[in-house]
Amino acid sequence: MATRLQPTIVRKFIPPRKRDSRKGDNGKVLVVGGSYMYHGAPILASLAALRSGTDLVYTCVPKIITSSVRAISPNLIVIPMVDAKLTRGAANKLLGQTPSDLDSATIGMGLSIPDEEALKLLVKSLASQDVRISLDASAIVSYILPHLPQKNIVLTPHAGEFKRMSGIMPPSSIKERTNVVEKFAKEHSVTILLKGSTDVISNGNQTFVNPKNLASMTVGGTGDVLSGIVAGLLARNRNPLESAAAASYINGMAGKMAQKKNGLHIVATDLIDNIPAAMKPLDRITK
């Protein structure tokens, strides 16, 4: 039976921050995405990860858009990807450039992946370093499923991406939708965050639902923001289900705040601006 997300539940999923923590103690995240056309997606994910409380975010994008990405914000640490797409050469080079102590990674937003072996290489190499991984957009593909480390992966599809990956279009009924997600998550030992007016989050054994019902959140980029929050929380709470559930809730709360202020005229960066207000009531500091 699915549990509806509430602040009291979500608060338990977000680890407290130690008063004497140092840079890096609260997470190191890798974002891999972007292309000639979609330069904004990895930016949105990276800024969302930072706003979620992550200390360091490494944004890996194709070399042709690095100047554009760097110009957006001085908060981003940008790693140029040698090819315009995720090739095996680009994946190998990237793995040699990133820190060895990453906590989490999110891959796929705006990314062009012409070689399935490149994605397999990147995912398996990061997983071998015990990096928690979130896959989105072009990285949500059926061929990657047999190569995922069991129980350490979050997939964040919308309905169309879920169908592309599984061959099944999620039903409109929340009960039936939940059953489909639970079955697929259990079969493949992954955590699924199926995006929609009501998000369904499940690892096959435990399920949460998050009714958002926000007409404004159809705007492009809100899913990239969600991926950034997922990665940011995975870097601190290494439990994929709890991190995905908390990210869904925070993304939805930020959307509600943005819609309250701007009506049906929000953009994805409005969600990022509201992440601190959405998360502040959930903050805890310990010795």
Side-chain angles (χ1 to χ4, degrees):
M1 185 175 179
T3 301
R4 180 169 176 160
L5 287 173
Q6 303 287 348
T8 51
I9 296 173
V10 175
R11 197 165 189 263
K12 296 175 183 177
F13 294 165
I14 301 175
R17 179 176 296 222
K18 292 183 179 179
R19 186 173 286 110
D20 61 350
S21 62
R22 301 178 181 180
K23 182 169 67 176
D25 290 350
N26 300 292
K28 298 178 182 178
V29 171
L30 174 67
V31 174
V32 184
S35 60
Y36 180 76
M37 181 177 289
Y38 299 112
H39 78 284
I43 298 172
L44 294 169
S46 298
L47 292 175
L50 285 167
R51 281 298 191 187
S52 75
T54 300
D55 285 344
L56 294 165
V57 176
Y58 300 89
T59 307
C60 181
V61 297
K63 189 175 181 180
I64 55 173
I65 63 169
T66 51
S67 295
S68 300
V69 173
R70 283 176 172 145
I72 292 292
S73 174
N75 297 301
L76 302 180
I77 304 170
V78 182
I79 301 174
M81 194 161 64
V82 293
D83 295 320
K85 302 176 181 181
L86 185 65
T87 61
R88 271 173 273 188
N92 273 317
K93 182 76 171 177
L94 165 61
L95 290 165
Q97 290 177 298
T98 52
S100 59
D101 58 349
L102 290 170
D103 296 297
S104 70
T106 183
I107 303 166
M109 57 292 302
L111 185 64
S112 178
I113 309 174
D115 183 356
E116 63 182 62
E117 294 302 321
L119 180 60
K120 293 175 186 176
L121 170 65
L122 183 58
V123 169
K124 288 194 286 187
S125 295
L126 290 171
S128 70
Q129 300 171 39
D130 200 27
V131 177
R132 294 295 189 265
I133 299 170
S134 170
L135 300 181
D136 188 29
S138 61
I140 298 178
V141 283
S142 58
Y143 66 72
I144 197 65
L145 292 171
H147 304 279
L148 299 180
Q150 289 197 344
K151 305 186 187 308
N152 289 343
I153 292 282
V154 177
L155 306 176
T156 60
H158 55 56
E161 290 164 344
F162 187 88
K163 181 183 179 183
R164 183 182 70 201
M165 173 180 62
S166 67
I168 302 168
M169 176 57 77
S172 55
S173 160
I174 294 302
K175 183 177 180 180
E176 294 175 8
R177 199 177 181 92
T178 299
N179 288 339
V180 167
V181 170
E182 287 176 339
K183 183 178 179 181
F184 188 86
K186 191 175 188 68
E187 181 180 351
H188 296 281
S189 297
V190 295
T191 293
I192 301 287
L193 196 176
L194 179 61
K195 298 177 284 193
S197 58
T198 294
D199 290 344
V200 179
I201 309 101
S202 180
N203 62 3
N205 297 311
Q206 188 175 8
T207 303
F208 297 97
V209 292
N210 182 36
K212 305 190 304 290
N213 300 316
L214 293 169
S216 62
M217 279 188 70
T218 56
V219 68
T222 57
D224 302 317
V225 172
L226 175 63
S227 290
I229 301 172
V230 170
L233 296 182
L234 272 174
R236 294 160 60 196
N237 177 355
R238 295 170 64 76
N239 181 304
L241 178 68
E242 293 181 357
S243 296
S248 170
Y249 177 84
I250 293 162
N251 196 56
M253 284 300 299
K256 287 179 183 178
M257 293 174 180
Q259 182 171 298
K260 184 177 181 180
K261 179 180 179 181
N262 298 321
L264 303 179
H265 315 284
I266 71 168
V267 291
T269 49
D270 293 334
L271 269 67
I272 295 172
D273 292 341
N274 281 289
I275 290 173
M279 292 193 70
K280 191 175 179 181
L282 308 171
D283 287 347
R284 290 177 292 157
I285 299 175
T286 60
K287 292 182 179 180

